[in-house]
Amino acid sequence: RVVTASELIESLLRDRLLHETTGGGVTVSGGEPALQPDFTAELIGELRRLGVHTAVETAGNVPWPDLKQAVAEADLILFDFKHAEPAVHAGWTGAPNEVIVANLRRLSAEAAASGQQLVVRIPLIPGANSDLAVLAGMAEVLAGLPHLDGVELLPYHNLGVPKYGALRREYAMPEVSSPTSEELRVAAGIFREAGLEVKLESEG
């Protein structure tokens, strides 16, 4: 349904006590929030003025002016990063990653100047980006950023399989399993060796 930023804020503020007691806030995700930069900027800006902690999660594959506008007032930027190689990235997602990496570098520089938190999130998918050489390439890109507060490794899971079945749709990767604890540990080590702070879901 279509809502205005003011209408959505009114709904979100019903949970304000929960935000204040847990240290939480509001995350604008999607879809891609930067595809609606005016709305996202208005929403985030007003929430911030009301003292609500805000985050924007983005895949970064949008024109820079739209991305900059959408995240300008957010306390935290969560940036999805899936692969360092443009051609391989295109094979898995349908789009190369040059715009994504360029936007990540710009955001990093902006965050360094503004004091915003910037965290990169990597979905760790066996067969797609879990190879050690691939992870090393991703770590190299991230280690070269002007500023980064951390890396979150998100292990692939197949919890969506039953949903696809209920919708009578074919699940594209039924044979892919979640990374093991040891695989996650090794992956985290690659990023830590590059001087990056790493957080795993299992570490809380």
Side-chain angles (χ1 to χ4, degrees):
R1 65 191 178 95
V2 177
V3 297
T4 66
S6 297
E7 290 170 338
L8 184 53
I9 288 169
E10 182 179 352
S11 176
L12 292 169
L13 289 181
R14 295 171 191 164
D15 291 326
R16 187 163 191 172
L17 180 60
L18 178 64
H19 301 158
E20 291 173 351
T21 56
T22 63
V26 173
T27 299
V28 185
S29 185
E32 173 54 63
L35 291 177
Q36 300 182 62
D38 294 335
F39 179 88
T40 301
E42 181 183 354
L43 177 67
I44 292 292
E46 184 58 26
L47 286 170
R48 185 171 187 178
R49 281 186 283 276
L50 291 168
V52 178
H53 184 276
T54 57
V56 175
E57 183 170 13
T58 178
N61 194 26
V62 292
W64 168 245
D66 292 345
L67 181 59
K68 182 177 180 179
Q69 179 186 0
V71 306
E73 293 197 66
D75 298 297
L76 169 64
I77 303 166
L78 300 169
F79 196 101
D80 298 336
F81 186 44
K82 301 176 179 71
H83 208 288
E85 294 296 328
V88 179
H89 188 280
W92 282 103
T93 68
N97 71 349
E98 287 93 345
V99 169
I100 294 168
V101 173
N103 280 342
L104 176 57
R105 288 185 174 129
R106 284 169 162 168
L107 277 183
S108 177
E110 296 267 333
S114 69
Q116 283 177 300
Q117 281 190 294
L118 174 63
V119 173
V120 166
R121 294 180 131 186
I122 298 174
L124 198 62
I125 307 171
N129 66 355
S130 62
D131 181 84
L132 299 186
V134 171
L135 294 174
M138 298 175 76
E140 183 178 0
V141 171
L142 299 183
L145 296 175
H147 172 79
L148 186 62
D149 290 287
V151 177
E152 293 185 2
L153 297 182
L154 308 177
Y156 168 83
H157 60 74
N158 55 11
L159 297 178
V161 173
K163 295 180 182 179
Y164 271 72
L167 294 170
R168 298 181 180 177
R169 295 178 60 185
E170 182 180 356
Y171 194 80
M173 302 191 302
E175 74 288 350
V176 178
S177 300
S178 299
T180 66
S181 297
E182 177 61 16
E183 288 170 335
L184 286 171
R185 187 191 66 77
V186 172
I190 290 174
F191 291 92
R192 286 169 176 154
E193 286 175 8
L196 300 163
E197 294 287 332
V198 180
K199 179 181 177 181
L200 299 173
E201 280 188 337
S202 59
E203 295 175 339

